[in-house]
Amino acid sequence: MLKLATPWISLEIEYHDNDLPVIDRALRSIKELKSSAALDWLLARLCHYPVCSVVPRKLTIREWLRGALQEPPLHSQKSRKLATGLGIQELLSSAAHGNNVLPVDEILALARKPGTRSYDALSLFTQLRVALCAYNTATEPEPYEELFASSPSGFLKFAKIYIRQNHFVTTRAIDSLRPALACKPFAHLLTQFIASEQGHDSLMWQSLMALDGPDPADIEILPEVQALVALLEFTATHYRLAFAVVLDLFERESPGEQHPLAQVLLKSEQGKNAALGLARHTAINHHMQHDEFGYRLASVLPYLRETSALATIHLADAGLRLREGIRRKMHDLLILHLHHPTSLTARTPV
């Protein structure tokens, strides 16, 4: 097992014994800050992870003839109208005015095609993915085990709130994704993805109904969860690369083959049934390689003009702030249940 760590992500990578010589040469190249065929081989196997970014490729005649991705400015009337209809006008207004935490100029410079004012879609996607990972505030696993040990009933109460947030996302997912089918370059890929999302709301419902407590409809959905789903639909309608980035924010929340919450749920009799739907949902996402899907969508898109590149970064930044808001509120709720297990109801997350 090869362990690779950066300030924003840690990976454990399986390899065959006959790969050892080339891995050794690749690591030597990294240490010496030199390029090599061995390093290219290693990076090619890591391309779907935010370990590194894709260097912008030269603008070819074929690309030039194909033309740039055409998208409206964030402040256009069309965008403002859609944002208002989805209830995220304030979020988009802030994004359009450049209130960002991401290093906009640095990301643009790294994704710009050599000698042009055009931007490589795949390069920009990977630059953003690295930047988004660098701003991940979750540095330690959530204390699910600790909460379960101190208060099994408090843990089950928290689990129901957590699963309800996921249930809301799965009930809105397909309708939020469909507008992006109008983008011909990735319509076929997206059709496959949408098919794999069918039935996930039923899996989440199965988990919810296995837990005691209030009707799921009475459990509050975090405003940030609602806004992030609306942002997915907004980008699906007008901003194709931003759509790939926001979709990646959802899918990279997947923890792998086993969900850590489901693992703890299995330790209680009531939790065993609740774990089934959540575990199945996670297993399908892992099997279908949903964490690679944003990368695959970005890889088939044409180049971008500067207005589209800027809009993509601003929308990614908005998604980042929403994701971190969700993570922070759910963490605070977990800690409250841990220290005051009888003082909270399952209705109100915060």
Side-chain angles (χ1 to χ4, degrees):
M1 189 75 71
L2 173 66
K3 293 185 177 181
L4 181 66
T6 73
W8 54 86
I9 191 172
S10 296
L11 297 174
E12 291 187 350
I13 307 158
E14 293 184 358
Y15 61 86
H16 300 292
D17 289 344
N18 56 2
D19 292 331
L20 276 173
V22 68
I23 290 174
D24 183 63
R25 293 197 299 272
L27 296 178
R28 198 180 312 126
S29 294
I30 294 173
K31 185 177 181 180
E32 296 173 357
L33 301 177
K34 294 180 179 178
S35 61
S36 68
L39 181 57
D40 290 344
W41 175 89
L42 178 61
L43 293 179
R45 280 148 184 79
L46 299 173
C47 65
H48 294 301
Y49 299 95
V51 174
C52 55
S53 56
V54 174
V55 175
R57 297 153 293 184
K58 290 183 178 180
L59 182 62
T60 64
I61 294 176
R62 183 176 180 180
E63 275 190 296
W64 182 78
L65 291 172
R66 183 184 176 191
L69 196 61
Q70 298 297 321
E71 298 177 335
L74 273 181
H75 53 73
S76 69
Q77 183 177 358
K78 182 187 294 185
S79 294
R80 290 202 306 270
K81 183 178 179 180
L82 178 61
T84 300
L86 292 170
I88 54 172
Q89 61 273 27
E90 288 187 17
L91 177 72
L92 269 295
S93 176
S94 177
H97 286 87
N99 298 326
N100 304 115
V101 296
L102 295 176
V104 177
D105 292 339
E106 179 183 333
I107 293 171
L108 283 175
L110 290 169
R112 186 178 295 122
K113 285 182 173 288
T116 74
R117 298 294 292 178
S118 301
Y119 298 83
D120 187 299
L122 184 57
S123 178
L124 182 55
F125 175 88
T126 57
Q127 299 292 349
L128 282 168
R129 196 161 65 175
V130 168
L132 291 167
C133 281
Y135 277 87
N136 187 344
T137 59
T139 56
E140 299 291 338
E142 293 289 11
Y144 299 139
E145 293 269 9
E146 189 179 348
L147 176 58
F148 179 75
S150 67
S151 173
S153 62
F155 171 76
L156 294 176
K157 189 187 298 182
F158 169 82
K160 190 158 190 176
I161 296 170
Y162 180 101
I163 295 170
R164 174 62 177 126
Q165 309 304 309
N166 282 267
H167 175 251
F168 175 83
V169 172
T170 55
T171 59
R172 301 293 195 277
I174 292 175
D175 286 342
S176 299
L177 295 166
R178 279 202 180 105
L181 289 171
C183 179
K184 291 182 180 179
F186 57 53
H188 178 66
L189 286 172
L190 192 57
T191 299
Q192 296 175 338
F193 183 86
I194 289 174
S196 71
E197 285 290 313
Q198 297 283 353
H200 283 243
D201 55 337
S202 297
L203 293 173
M204 292 294 102
W205 185 256
Q206 174 188 333
S207 288
L208 280 171
M209 298 310 292
L211 294 169
D212 292 336
D215 188 312
D218 292 332
I219 298 175
E220 181 187 342
I221 304 301
L222 292 175
E224 292 86 351
V225 172
Q226 298 179 57
L228 191 56
V229 172
L231 183 64
L232 181 66
E233 183 175 347
F234 178 84
T235 56
T237 305
H238 289 316
Y239 300 92
R240 307 314 190 195
L241 183 59
F243 169 73
V245 174
V246 175
L247 182 61
D248 197 63
L249 283 175
F250 279 100
E251 298 305 328
R252 290 204 160 268
E253 293 300 296
S254 172
E257 293 186 60
Q258 293 184 310
H259 198 293
L261 190 73
Q263 289 178 301
V264 183
L265 281 168
L266 289 169
K267 296 184 177 185
S268 76
E269 285 303 314
Q270 186 186 156
K272 285 179 181 178
N273 289 330
L276 295 177
L278 183 60
R280 179 62 180 153
H281 162 76
T282 304
I284 291 171
N285 286 355
H286 181 78
H287 176 71
M288 298 301 294
Q289 298 179 311
H290 280 194
D291 59 338
E292 297 184 8
F293 220 82
Y295 181 95
R296 293 170 65 191
L297 294 178
S299 69
V300 298
L301 288 175
Y303 67 93
L304 289 78
R305 298 297 188 195
E306 189 161 304
T307 53
S308 292
L310 279 169
T312 299
I313 297 173
H314 294 327
L315 291 167
D317 195 277
L320 166 66
R321 284 182 277 126
L322 291 172
R323 184 195 68 181
E324 293 305 300
I326 294 166
R327 180 172 288 150
R328 185 170 55 254
K329 285 189 175 181
M330 293 307 295
H331 174 78
D332 290 347
L333 178 66
L334 178 59
I335 298 303
L336 281 170
H337 275 73
L338 181 61
H339 296 299
H340 307 283
T342 61
S343 64
L344 300 174
T345 68
R347 170 174 168 71
T348 307
V350 180

